[in-house]
Amino acid sequence: MERPAWAPLSIDISMPSVSRIYDYYLGGSHNFEVDREAARKAMEFMPGLPKIAQANRAVMRRAVRYAVGEGVTQFLDIGSGIPTFGDVHEVARQASDEARVVYVDHDPVAVAHSKSVLEGDEQSAVLAGDLRKPRDILGSSEVGSLLDLDRPVALLLVAVLHFVEDAYDPYAAVAELRDALAPGSLIVVTHASYEGIPVPAEQAGHTVGVYKDIRNPLIMRSRDEIARFFEGYDMVEPGLVPMPHWRPDTAPEEEDPYSFSGYAGVGRKL
């Protein structure tokens, strides 16, 4: 397999990556055949996976605009993935020239491409980091130099928590991040769930199996389990809802049925 010029030498291009699979769903070009093969296999059981990815991105953009409208112009995007049109810094800057963004991902392709896109942007930074190690993220020079944690920050956890197994205690990781943020900070979460998927759970389970086979388990949590990530926050209206229902720009009934495959919510730290 020929290595593209943009692919860091340190990565194994024979192994699929969830961020590159996600990039494929969104129509991006920073993915390998091994990623596309895994994506196509997952789509055999859930052909609407690209619609789910698009719904996640749409919620992110609406939540970023909401945050700026509430006076929050600092963003910590963990699990940011590979840059595509309408990323956090682009959406936030349309609303405020003061917006500052730190992107965090553990995929080397996502980190390398993000750094390339943001070269020369003094109000954005990219960090190779892992949600399971919040202390490393919070103590990084990128966060320290760009974000003032004594002021409200919008913590973005979009389509990432469902890749953290319970064995790694994602609730503790999110709580540690929460405790480091100032009152008035926001948390933005989207999360996959069997609830709302327009195919039988058994069929959706085969897609989950594809992710397990590539050693990136997809953890489908219930609404109640997802709600636990908001402990210590006041939920912003309309609460934890299917993605198209979170402060929609268009009528939810016009959305593809697959767009309802997961929950979205925003909370404000007390």
Side-chain angles (χ1 to χ4, degrees):
M1 183 185 302
E2 185 176 350
R3 182 183 296 272
W6 48 262
L9 294 175
S10 59
I11 68 169
D12 181 357
I13 63 175
S14 68
M15 286 297 297
S17 152
V18 293
S19 64
R20 298 194 304 268
I21 292 172
Y22 193 73
D23 177 65
Y24 174 74
Y25 292 152
L26 291 170
S29 59
H30 284 74
N31 49 76
F32 309 129
E33 180 54 33
V34 68
D35 305 307
R36 297 188 284 274
E37 182 181 349
R40 289 191 291 264
K41 190 175 295 184
M43 289 169 63
E44 288 178 11
F45 307 104
M46 290 182 59
L49 283 168
K51 293 295 183 182
I52 299 174
Q54 292 165 19
N56 274 281
R57 296 287 297 181
V59 169
M60 177 275 288
R61 291 191 288 268
R62 298 198 299 272
V64 167
R65 290 195 294 267
Y66 170 80
V68 175
E70 293 293 303
V72 179
T73 56
Q74 302 187 106
F75 297 87
L76 179 57
D77 185 1
I78 302 179
S80 51
I82 295 169
T84 59
F85 176 75
D87 267 336
V88 174
H89 70 285
E90 294 174 332
V91 177
R93 300 264 175 82
Q94 289 175 356
S96 172
D97 293 338
E98 300 177 359
R100 294 173 176 266
V101 182
V102 175
Y103 291 108
V104 183
D105 206 284
H106 64 73
D107 185 305
V109 171
V111 172
H113 192 49
S114 297
K115 287 183 176 180
S116 174
V117 168
L118 294 168
E119 186 175 4
D121 185 339
E122 297 182 355
Q123 292 174 235
S124 299
V126 184
L127 167 65
D130 193 320
L131 174 59
R132 296 172 296 182
K133 300 177 180 179
R135 192 169 305 174
D136 292 349
I137 295 172
L138 293 167
S140 68
S141 59
E142 290 84 356
V143 169
S145 62
L146 206 60
L147 303 183
D148 179 358
L149 298 185
D150 291 327
R151 295 173 47 239
V153 172
L155 170 63
L156 305 181
L157 301 173
V158 175
V160 63
L161 286 166
H162 49 233
F163 290 113
V164 184
E165 298 174 84
D166 288 342
Y168 292 105
D169 200 352
Y171 297 104
V174 172
E176 187 170 345
L177 290 164
R178 177 200 65 211
D179 292 346
L181 301 180
S185 291
L186 301 174
I187 184 173
V188 179
V189 171
T190 68
H191 198 298
S193 177
Y194 282 121
E195 301 166 15
I197 292 179
V199 297
E202 182 180 358
Q203 181 176 332
H206 291 302
T207 289
V208 173
V210 171
Y211 282 90
K212 184 177 181 181
D213 290 343
I214 65 171
R215 299 196 292 244
N216 284 284
L218 177 59
I219 313 302
M220 306 291 274
R221 296 187 172 96
S222 68
R223 184 185 183 281
D224 288 345
E225 290 171 325
I226 298 167
R228 287 181 54 198
F229 289 114
F230 291 91
E231 289 182 1
Y233 293 90
D234 273 340
M235 291 299 297
V236 169
E237 289 294 331
L240 184 61
V241 294
M243 291 185 287
H245 287 291
W246 199 86
R247 296 179 177 253
D249 294 326
T250 58
E253 55 267 23
E254 297 177 5
E255 298 289 339
D256 186 278
Y258 273 97
S259 300
F260 297 84
S261 305
Y263 288 100
V266 173
R268 180 180 286 104
K269 184 176 176 179
L270 304 175

